[in-house]
Amino acid sequence: MANRGKTHNEEVYCIKDLAQLGSSKMKKAYREYYNEGAMDLITPLIIHNGLRENESAYDRYMIRPRVLRDLSKLDTSTSIVGCKVKFPFGFSPTAMQTLAHPDGEEGTSKACAKLNTLMGLSNYSTKELEKVISHSTGNPYVMQMSLLKNKKAMIQMIKRAEAAGFKALFLTLDAPYLGRRLNEYRNKFAVPEGMEYPNLFPGVDVTNLEDGNGLRLLYRVATDHALFPSTHQHGDLGQREYVYHLLQNIVYTSGDGELAIKYGFDGIVISNHGGRQLDSVPSSLDVLREIVPVAKGKIPIAVDGGIRRGTDIFKALALGADFCLAGRPAIWGLAYNGQEGVELALNLLYDEFKTCMALAGCKNVPEIQKELVSLLQPDGRLLKL
Ligand SMILES: Cc1cc2nc3c(=O)[nH]c(=O)nc-3n(C[C@H](O)[C@H](O)[C@H](O)COP(=O)(O)O)c2cc1C
Ligand SMILES: CCCCCCC(=O)C(=O)O
């Protein structure tokens, strides 16, 4: 189906519509792999089980608009990893996007290029990183890297990404083991025959690794379980022999925020992996509140997890984030209509963010400050921040 409207088509008016319709097009095992998370899904998703933390945290903050402002010229642009982008948003790295649609990571890339938006690429991408970035129109790309036992393979991929033009690296630090995702066990999740990870393990058919769940076996074999201390320790990577612009992907506590600064990371992404690793961790937005006092102004702060609306982006920025990311909306867009579905997701978020900024009385991103939000308390009173 063609995306006829710029910010909606005849059946999709917001990301929640896209989630429903995109999800309905995927087969059960893939849909649940993408949509669900660890154990009882307390952290990740509203779509499944009532109020879930990552998304509902945004509803605890109310916007306090200002009026009598000159809004004749609106500028939503900002800078991420040194590049000017259309608005303070990008896609988080998510694995195996061709399971959602054959366009896969190339479809996401083309949509990001068209809308001058940041794209994060998973090291478990099913398309070659060089092909993915070949669609760039100058928009930034960030390569995500898990810590592997095979340091040589890691460095090889990092160098490939740098040579191809990736601007930075997201170093994922919360996944020495995969979380317990019950859907994967129940559905006997397996990747289709012939699937490869052309960036991490070029030329290896990973479907040979079946043990009921080849994905988990491969992950266990490949991943370095001793993230720190080990040959991959933060300090080691911080020496920048082979690392260009390094962002610590996934921080749960202010303690680890402080470590990111100490070890010289160029930025942090506050994330709980979309609730897919450890269930019952707090929402990323609540963690943002904890980390802003230690990191703001020292290194850029990004946040992901549960961002589904332009108002969510606005609230995160007001609470101190420099930019936002989201994972599943790209997947839902792909599943709905390939590259065009991802464009639709981006257009919706962009238009909602611009509208929110203007209606809150801000003409540009720096004007989004914490006075413009307040915390809704359990007794219904609003707490100024
Ligand atoms: C299906 C799926 C696959 C993911 N794969 C990766 C990955 O390969 N590497 C990584 O660092 N994070 C991965 N993530 C986590 C995302 O980067 C991001 O933190 C998360 O999707 C944000 O939550 P949201 O989906 O609610 O926006 C994945 C998330 C999902 C949903
Ligand atoms: C062997 C492939 C493992 C992909 C794991 C991707 C991921 O982080 C996820 O949350 O799923």
Side-chain angles (χ1 to χ4, degrees), residues 235-297:
D236 179 22
L237 285 165
Q239 285 167 13
R240 307 303 166 85
E241 240 174 86
Y242 46 83
V243 174
Y244 21 115
H245 193 98
L246 192 63
L247 285 91
Q248 176 164 326
N249 193 21
I250 305 193
V251 184
Y252 292 87
T253 62
S254 56
D256 280 343
E258 279 166 11
L259 275 184
I261 296 166
K262 178 172 166 194
Y263 290 122
F265 282 86
D266 299 304
I268 45 180
V269 181
I270 298 170
S271 167
N272 48 45
H273 215 113
R276 300 167 68 77
Q277 285 299 99
L278 186 60
D279 196 19
S280 275
V281 296
S283 75
S284 307
L285 190 68
D286 288 334
V287 176
L288 173 71
R289 299 277 322 266
E290 184 179 322
I291 289 184
V292 162
V294 303
K296 187 71 186 169

Side-chain angles (χ1 to χ4, degrees), residues 96-380:
M96 303 183 284
Q97 296 188 356
T98 43
L99 299 186
H101 189 278
D103 286 359
E105 292 84 357
E106 284 193 78
T108 305
S109 172
K110 287 176 189 167
C112 288
K114 209 161 166 183
L115 276 99
N116 189 22
T117 307
L118 172 131
M119 175 176 177
L121 182 68
S122 166
N123 58 191
Y124 286 106
S125 156
T126 40
K127 299 269 187 178
E128 283 171 28
L129 62 90
E130 290 85 359
K131 280 195 187 143
V132 173
I133 201 173
S134 71
H135 306 292
S136 174
T137 50
N139 58 310
Y141 288 73
V142 178
M143 189 73 217
Q144 176 267 326
M145 186 76 228
S146 306
L147 295 182
L148 305 183
K149 288 189 185 114
N150 185 343
K151 201 172 177 192
K152 228 169 149 182
M154 261 180 78
I155 294 174
Q156 207 168 30
M157 203 201 70
I158 293 171
K159 286 194 161 156
R160 258 177 79 186
E162 183 176 26
F166 281 72
K167 291 277 182 256
L169 206 64
F170 285 147
L171 198 62
T172 294
L173 296 175
D174 74 335
Y177 301 90
L178 278 185
R180 280 185 67 78
R181 297 131 186 213
L182 302 183
N183 73 90
E184 291 176 26
Y185 298 113
R186 290 178 175 138
N187 294 328
K188 298 193 174 27
F189 180 92
V191 295
E193 201 139 318
M195 203 176 94
E196 288 184 16
Y197 301 116
N199 303 310
L200 267 193
F201 315 113
V204 178
D205 177 353
V206 291
T207 46
N208 294 330
L209 287 165
E210 291 303 331
D211 73 338
N213 187 337
L215 176 91
R216 304 191 82 83
L217 175 64
L218 174 65
Y219 199 87
R220 201 166 57 236
V221 171
T223 307
D224 186 352
H225 305 309
L227 298 189
F228 184 81
S230 79
T231 48
H232 304 304
Q233 61 185 268
H234 297 64
D236 179 22
L237 285 165
Q239 285 167 13
R240 307 303 166 85
E241 240 174 86
Y242 46 83
V243 174
Y244 21 115
H245 193 98
L246 192 63
L247 285 91
Q248 176 164 326
N249 193 21
I250 305 193
V251 184
Y252 292 87
T253 62
S254 56
D256 280 343
E258 279 166 11
L259 275 184
I261 296 166
K262 178 172 166 194
Y263 290 122
F265 282 86
D266 299 304
I268 45 180
V269 181
I270 298 170
S271 167
N272 48 45
H273 215 113
R276 300 167 68 77
Q277 285 299 99
L278 186 60
D279 196 19
S280 275
V281 296
S283 75
S284 307
L285 190 68
D286 288 334
V287 176
L288 173 71
R289 299 277 322 266
E290 184 179 322
I291 289 184
V292 162
V294 303
K296 187 71 186 169
K298 295 182 181 148
I299 50 176
I301 305 172
V303 64
D304 80 10
I307 290 172
R308 306 288 179 256
R309 299 174 288 218
T311 48
D312 297 341
I313 301 172
F314 182 93
K315 290 174 187 179
L317 262 62
L319 292 171
D322 293 290
F323 64 98
C324 295
L325 300 163
R328 293 178 180 91
I331 301 287
W332 294 324
L334 273 176
Y336 177 65
N337 194 20
Q339 175 196 334
E340 285 191 24
V342 186
E343 278 175 35
L344 180 57
L346 280 176
N347 275 322
L348 285 166
L349 288 168
Y350 169 69
D351 198 57
E352 289 172 10
F353 175 70
K354 190 174 178 184
T355 305
C356 175
M357 213 178 80
L359 295 183
C362 302
K363 64 177 175 305
N364 55 37
V365 170
E367 286 186 359
I368 304 173
Q369 293 292 328
K370 80 168 188 282
E371 295 71 39
L372 294 171
V373 290
S374 54
L375 178 62
L376 182 61
Q377 299 185 96
D379 64 6

